[in-house]
Amino acid sequence: MFDSDALRPNVPSDQSERLKSKCLETGLPFHQLQRRSIESYLPLPALSGWAYNERKYRAVRHPIFQAYSAMSKVQKHHYNLKNGFEADAKRQGSNAGDLYEDLEQAQKFPF
Protein backbone atom coordinates (compact mmCIF):
# COMPACT_ATOMS: atom_id res chain seq x y z
CA MET A 1 0.00 0.00 0.00
CA PHE A 2 1.30 3.44 -0.90
CA ASP A 3 0.12 7.04 -1.15
CA SER A 4 -1.09 8.47 -4.45
CA ASP A 5 0.37 11.83 -3.39
CA ALA A 6 -2.35 13.32 -5.62
CA LEU A 7 -2.93 17.05 -5.37
CA ARG A 8 -6.36 16.55 -6.93
CA PRO A 9 -8.73 13.63 -7.57
CA ASN A 10 -7.65 10.88 -9.96
CA VAL A 11 -4.24 12.37 -10.75
CA PRO A 12 -1.55 10.55 -8.75
CA SER A 13 1.95 12.00 -8.61
CA ASP A 14 4.53 10.85 -11.12
CA GLN A 15 6.46 9.10 -8.34
CA SER A 16 3.38 7.17 -7.21
CA GLU A 17 2.63 6.17 -10.80
CA ARG A 18 6.20 4.91 -11.27
CA LEU A 19 5.86 2.77 -8.15
CA LYS A 20 2.55 1.41 -9.43
CA SER A 21 4.15 0.56 -12.80
CA LYS A 22 7.04 -1.19 -11.07
CA CYS A 23 4.62 -3.27 -9.01
CA LEU A 24 2.70 -4.22 -12.15
CA GLU A 25 5.93 -5.12 -13.99
CA THR A 26 7.15 -7.38 -11.21
CA GLY A 27 3.77 -8.87 -10.28
CA LEU A 28 3.99 -7.47 -6.77
CA PRO A 29 0.54 -7.03 -5.15
CA PHE A 30 -0.17 -3.40 -4.31
CA HIS A 31 -2.81 -0.85 -3.47
CA GLN A 32 -2.39 2.79 -4.51
CA LEU A 33 -4.51 4.99 -2.26
CA GLN A 34 -7.07 7.18 -4.01
CA ARG A 35 -6.62 10.01 -1.52
CA ARG A 36 -3.35 11.85 -1.25
CA SER A 37 -2.04 10.06 1.80
CA ILE A 38 -3.00 7.58 4.46
CA GLU A 39 -3.45 10.40 7.01
CA SER A 40 -6.46 11.72 5.10
CA TYR A 41 -8.41 8.60 6.07
CA LEU A 42 -8.25 9.54 9.76
CA PRO A 43 -11.38 11.05 11.33
CA LEU A 44 -11.33 14.66 12.57
CA PRO A 45 -11.22 13.73 16.29
CA ALA A 46 -8.04 11.71 15.73
CA LEU A 47 -6.46 14.54 13.77
CA SER A 48 -7.47 16.99 16.46
CA GLY A 49 -5.46 14.96 18.93
CA TRP A 50 -2.48 15.09 16.58
CA ALA A 51 -2.83 18.87 16.24
CA TYR A 52 -3.27 19.77 19.91
CA ASN A 53 -1.76 17.11 22.16
CA GLU A 54 1.96 17.84 21.86
CA ARG A 55 2.69 21.37 23.02
CA LYS A 56 5.96 21.68 21.06
CA TYR A 57 4.16 21.05 17.72
CA ARG A 58 0.94 22.91 18.45
CA ALA A 59 1.99 26.22 16.84
CA VAL A 60 2.59 24.48 13.51
CA ARG A 61 -0.09 21.79 13.58
CA HIS A 62 -2.97 23.92 14.84
CA PRO A 63 -3.16 26.15 11.70
CA ILE A 64 -2.83 23.09 9.45
CA PHE A 65 -5.68 21.38 11.27
CA GLN A 66 -7.82 24.54 11.22
CA ALA A 67 -7.34 24.91 7.45
CA TYR A 68 -8.15 21.22 6.97
CA SER A 69 -11.32 21.42 9.07
CA ALA A 70 -12.75 24.21 6.91
CA MET A 71 -12.26 22.40 3.59
CA SER A 72 -14.67 20.47 1.43
CA LYS A 73 -14.53 16.67 1.54
CA VAL A 74 -12.64 16.44 -1.75
CA GLN A 75 -10.14 19.10 -0.69
CA LYS A 76 -9.50 17.20 2.55
CA HIS A 77 -8.71 14.06 0.57
CA HIS A 78 -5.80 15.78 -1.16
CA TYR A 79 -4.46 18.21 1.45
CA ASN A 80 -0.92 17.93 2.79
CA LEU A 81 -1.72 17.16 6.42
CA LYS A 82 1.89 16.96 7.53
CA ASN A 83 3.08 20.30 6.17
CA GLY A 84 0.09 22.28 4.90
CA PHE A 85 0.09 24.33 1.71
CA GLU A 86 3.56 25.70 2.23
CA ALA A 87 5.13 22.38 1.27
CA ASP A 88 3.11 22.29 -1.96
CA ALA A 89 3.72 25.90 -3.00
CA LYS A 90 6.58 24.91 -5.32
CA ARG A 91 4.93 21.78 -6.65
CA GLN A 92 3.90 22.43 -10.23
CA GLY A 93 3.11 20.36 -13.29
CA SER A 94 0.25 18.42 -14.80
CA ASN A 95 -0.84 16.89 -11.49
CA ALA A 96 -0.98 20.16 -9.51
CA GLY A 97 -4.48 21.26 -10.50
CA ASP A 98 -6.70 23.96 -9.02
CA LEU A 99 -8.57 22.13 -6.28
CA TYR A 100 -7.90 24.88 -3.72
CA GLU A 101 -8.53 27.94 -5.90
CA ASP A 102 -11.62 28.90 -3.87
CA LEU A 103 -9.73 29.16 -0.57
CA GLU A 104 -8.58 32.54 0.71
CA GLN A 105 -4.83 33.18 0.83
CA ALA A 106 -5.07 33.45 4.65
CA GLN A 107 -6.52 29.92 4.80
CA LYS A 108 -3.66 28.59 2.70
CA PHE A 109 -0.84 30.31 4.59
CA PRO A 110 -2.03 31.12 8.13
CA PHE A 111 1.48 31.40 9.60
Side-chain angles (χ1 to χ4, degrees):
M1 180 168 42
F2 51 91
D3 294 342
S4 72
D5 202 25
L7 294 177
R8 60 187 169 128
N10 304 313
V11 187
S13 71
D14 293 340
Q15 182 180 9
S16 184
E17 285 294 285
R18 284 193 301 274
L19 182 54
K20 178 181 172 181
S21 293
K22 199 57 125 166
C23 290
L24 289 168
E25 287 173 20
T26 60
L28 185 66
F30 71 93
H31 179 77
Q32 182 184 48
L33 296 172
Q34 294 299 305
R35 298 180 188 180
R36 179 178 185 153
S37 63
I38 198 162
E39 294 88 5
S40 68
Y41 290 87
L42 295 172
L44 275 177
L47 290 171
S48 176
W50 166 82
Y52 296 103
N53 282 347
E54 291 186 60
R55 178 171 274 151
K56 67 181 180 177
Y57 298 117
R58 201 174 296 159
V60 173
R61 292 179 179 173
H62 176 249
I64 291 170
F65 177 76
Q66 290 298 102
Y68 178 80
S69 297
M71 291 177 189
S72 73
K73 185 176 180 179
V74 174
Q75 289 171 329
K76 286 177 183 173
H77 291 178
H78 299 283
Y79 181 59
N80 186 337
L81 276 164
K82 291 180 182 172
N83 301 299
F85 287 110
E86 191 169 348
D88 291 338
K90 296 177 186 171
R91 191 168 162 188
Q92 302 295 319
S94 61
N95 64 355
D98 59 358
L99 183 60
Y100 303 99
E101 291 287 317
D102 65 331
L103 297 180
E104 298 290 329
Q105 190 69 7
Q107 286 177 280
K108 291 182 182 181
F109 302 101
F111 307 104

